[in-house]
């Protein structure tokens, strides 16, 4: 019996979902209907007369939620021989004929599972967020699964996961244990997935899903996104465009091996089953133990990819990304200026350059540590986190003080999960390393991975960070790298090696939780040889991520475009480097589309280049709130046009910035056609002027004409991009 106290501050949706969850309506056959509604969408379950929990609708929500009951009868498809093809969480071994969400072996050796609806309940977290739980139980075995659905009403975002438990007399083996099991109906399905490698991250590839199963997965252990990230899109009916079509964005919030199965079944419906990759990860669940899967995230848009991405970005800033509504530091990194070859004197000069450039922080990258095996290259020293006495005789503290003397902050690079075999750490603790005891070691970038399933290793990694802050309380930034994948997966500590891949990630999270408990606000970059580990579980602990080691600005336009569908600009670390052949203006303008940084030799800049960078940083500081917190609109796709164009617009639709770049240099390519803007107030009047001009140049855009928002969205504006104006940044402001 539920005791209910109503909160009159709840919005209408919350009251609707509250009553729907606690007092579900029933069909004539006495089935229970559970609608999960956000601002625009609905995911609706029905527990039928047999108590099977089935998905009867997923799409744009109806005005009258009692009409969801009519949906199944509208479809005239072939027979569902099992009766549970649309199961909300399909078990295996009983009636299910499709890819299961869960597969188990019971304590008595039986492989069958049947999950029946028992109950559901709702917790109202605030006037925008609610948490629905649905309990399912096997009628024969004391085995249950609780499904959780956390909804973000305004953002149209749903997080879902499962909790698995039992009270059998003995252990139960979990062979598969998905986080989500979605079920969609349409005339066709188009998958937009992403692939890549080092320096080639986030390459999109769209294809029509045909009958059978398409699997997106990783088995790398760490740096799991090296070849394929967990994010994907599925368009329904036809490929979605930026502003048209129905599209689902999905991703698993997990920093290890993932697996997403997309199955077009014999009724031509789509089942999406996603969770931890069960590869080499059969899990032994003890009686009364609970196994909680990671979160699967999804958002649905019936108005194209742009709406879905803005919903996801807003959700990330408000709820998931660490300090998503806060500030960020612009920085100068020494890596491309010095690589491993530096000393105190050289770094002191770079610290002066940091102040001269006008950024907030100097970041000391790889190579500052190890003595017995000095870190003068990537072949030695990793794991020995003592300052190198030859390079830094006065330690990190002297550099922190020198930074303070130059009125800038100081940050440092670490890679605490990895170790070089040529290191004191490896010599002292060979049992701390992930490796098979009877096989040859196999290295990735001359490294092995430390065993984070081991509590002693967890303490060690935590102490790497804590020790730096204890000695240097003014330390202001951490760049956390992770460059190795796991070969020869084996732990010297845990007894059940099938648990290794899961326990490694849990160990990583334990360390990060300890770090954030003591240092909750210190900015940290998630770097993993580029975008090798970015996901929303990791981004709860990091303020930003490194999309790619490829900083060629032309390549970055394409990469940043794809990343922007899933991650907000404030989380995307973009650095100006010497990669590519473009001038400093082009390189800087591209980097300004996220969290700006520099990795250049400031002393090598000529006077005009330096002046341009200094002025660009000032412009960036005046615009960064719009870039970080504004709504992002993709205006001209670089894959389809000579020009890439991106707009960031504040919530009031009164101020924005438009980035425009030439991406095709052949045959006099230019912005021959006007580019239509989006998101403006059609009734407002706007002025557009060019900013970030290179010293000594004048804009061809005079900025004196006013345009209505209606004109700019229907006709557009031409940024006049051409071979002599390859990068054009425009400031748009409404007139009061």
């Amino acid at each position: 019996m539920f005791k209910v106290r109503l909160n009159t501050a709840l919005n209408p949706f919350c009251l609707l979902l509250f009553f729907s969850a606690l007092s579900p309506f029933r069909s004539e056959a006495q089935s229970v209907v559970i609608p999960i509604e956000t601002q625009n969408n609905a995911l609706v379950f029905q527990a039928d007369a047999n108590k099977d929990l089935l998905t009867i609708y997923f799409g744009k929500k109806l005005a009258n939620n009692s009409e969801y009951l009519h949906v199944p009868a509208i479809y005239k498809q072939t027979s569902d021989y099992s009766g549970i093809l649309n199961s909300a969480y399909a078990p295996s071994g009983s009636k299910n004929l499709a890819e299961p969400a869960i597969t188990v072996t019971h304590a008595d050796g039986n492989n069958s599972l049947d999950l029946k609806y028992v109950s559901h309940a709702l917790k109202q977290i605030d006037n925008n967020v609610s948490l629905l739980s649905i309990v399912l139980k096997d009628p024969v075995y004391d085995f249950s699964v609780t499904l959780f659905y956390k909804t973000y009403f305004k953002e149209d975002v749903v997080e879902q996961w499962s909790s698995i438990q039992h009270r059998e007399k003995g252990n139960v083996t979990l062979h598969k244990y998905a986080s989500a099991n979605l079920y969609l109906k349409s005339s066709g399905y188009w998958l937009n997935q992403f692939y890549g490698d080092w320096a080639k991250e986030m390459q999109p590839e769209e294809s029509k899903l045909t009958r059978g199963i398409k699997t997106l997965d990783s088995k790398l252990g760490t740096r799991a996104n090296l070849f394929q990230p967990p994010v994907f899109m599925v368009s329904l009916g036809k490929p979605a465009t930026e502003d048209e079509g129905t599209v689902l964005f999905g991703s698993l919030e997990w920093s290890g091996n993932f697996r997403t199965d997309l199955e077009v079944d014999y009724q031509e419906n789509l089942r999406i089953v996603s969770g931890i990759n069960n590869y080499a990860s059969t899990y032994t669940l003890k009686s009364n133990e609970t196994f909680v899967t990671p979160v699967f995230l999804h958002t649905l848009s019936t108005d194209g990819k742009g709406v879905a991405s803005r919903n996801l970005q807003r959700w990330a800033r408000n709820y998931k990304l660490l300090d998503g509504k806060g500030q960020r530091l612009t920085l100068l990194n020494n890596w491309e200026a010095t690589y491993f070859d530096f000393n105190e004197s050289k770094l002191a000069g770079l610290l002066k350059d940091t102040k001269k450039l006008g950024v907030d922080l100097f970041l000391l990258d790889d190579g500052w540590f190890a003595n017995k095996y000095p870190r003068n290259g990537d072949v030695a020293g990793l794991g020995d986190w003592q300052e190198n006495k030859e390079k830094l005789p006065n330690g990190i503290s002297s550099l922190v003080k020198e930074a303070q003397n130059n009125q800038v902050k100081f940050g440092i690079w670490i890679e605490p999960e990895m170790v070089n075999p040529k290191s004191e750490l490896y010599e002292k603790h060979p049992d701390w390393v992930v490796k098979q005891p009877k096989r040859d070691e196999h290295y990735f970038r001359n490294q092995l991975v430390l065993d984070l399933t081991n509590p002693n290793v967890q303490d060690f990694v935590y102490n790497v960070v804590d020790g730096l802050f204890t000695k240097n309380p003014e330390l202001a930034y951490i760049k956390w790298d992770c460059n190795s994948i796991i070969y020869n997966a084996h732990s010297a500590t845990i007894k059940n090696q099938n648990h290794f891949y899961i326990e490694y990630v849990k160990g990583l999270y334990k360390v990060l939780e300890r770090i954030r408990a003591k240092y909750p606000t210190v900015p940290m970059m998630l770097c993993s040889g580029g975008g090798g580990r970015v996901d929303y579980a990791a981004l709860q602990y990091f303020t930003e991520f490194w999309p790619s080691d490829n900083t060629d600005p032309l390549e970055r336009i394409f990469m940043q475009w794809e990343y922007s569908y899933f991650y907000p600009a404030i989380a995307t670390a973009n650095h100006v480097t010497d990669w590519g052949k473009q001038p400093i203006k082009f390189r800087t303008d591209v980097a300004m589309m996220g969290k700006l940084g520099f990795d250049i030799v400031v002393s090598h800049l000529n006077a005009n280049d330096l002046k341009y960078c200094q002025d660009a940083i000032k412009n960036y500081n005046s615009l960064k709130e719009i870039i970080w917190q504004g709504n992002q609109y993709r205006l001209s796709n670089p894959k389809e046009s000579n020009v890439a164009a991106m707009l960031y617009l504040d919530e009031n639709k009164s101020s924005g910035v438009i980035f425009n770049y030439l991406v095709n240099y052949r045959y006099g390519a230019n912005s021959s056609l006007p580019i239509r803007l989006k998101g403006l107030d059609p009734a407002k009047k706007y002025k557009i002027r060019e900013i970030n001009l290179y010293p000594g140049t004048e804009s061809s855009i005079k900025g004196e004409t006013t345009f209505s928002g209606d004109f700019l969205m229907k006709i557009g504006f031409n940024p006049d991009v051409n071979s002599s104006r390859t990068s054009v940044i425009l400031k748009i402001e409404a007139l009061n």
Side-chain angles (χ1 to χ4, degrees), residues 572-610:
T572 309
N574 303 330
H575 289 184
V576 181
T577 74
D578 289 329
W579 280 49
K581 299 178 181 180
Q582 292 76 18
I584 192 71
K585 172 175 166 52
F586 192 100
R587 287 180 273 149
T588 305
D589 290 355
V590 171
M592 284 175 63
M593 288 200 299
K595 206 230 75 171
L596 177 65
F598 289 81
D599 198 340
I600 57 176
V601 184
V602 176
S603 61
H604 290 179
L605 297 175
N606 63 44
N608 280 339
D609 282 1
L610 177 60

Side-chain angles (χ1 to χ4, degrees), residues 554 586 642-643 660-665 669-670 721-723 726:
L554 190 60
F586 192 100
N642 295 328
V643 175
N660 306 273
Y661 310 102
L662 187 68
V663 295
N664 179 6
Y665 291 82
N670 66 350
V721 173
N722 54 55
S723 59
T726 57

Side-chain angles (χ1 to χ4, degrees), residues 329 331-334 351 360-365 368 396 399-400 403 408-414 468-469 474-479 522-523:
L329 298 168
L331 59 82
L332 175 65
N333 194 356
N334 74 298
L351 281 163
D360 304 315
L361 176 139
F362 175 78
L363 172 63
L364 176 59
D365 214 292
W368 58 268
I396 297 297
L399 297 174
V400 175
V408 295
K409 298 178 184 293
F410 188 87
I412 200 164
W413 176 97
I414 55 173
L468 283 168
F469 281 110
E474 301 302 319
L475 196 64
Y477 187 90
I478 294 288
K479 178 180 177 182
V522 175

Side-chain angles (χ1 to χ4, degrees), residues 453-465:
T453 71
N454 184 339
N456 292 326
V457 175
Q458 294 172 23
D459 290 341
F460 170 81
V461 174
Y462 169 79
N463 287 329
V464 170
V465 178

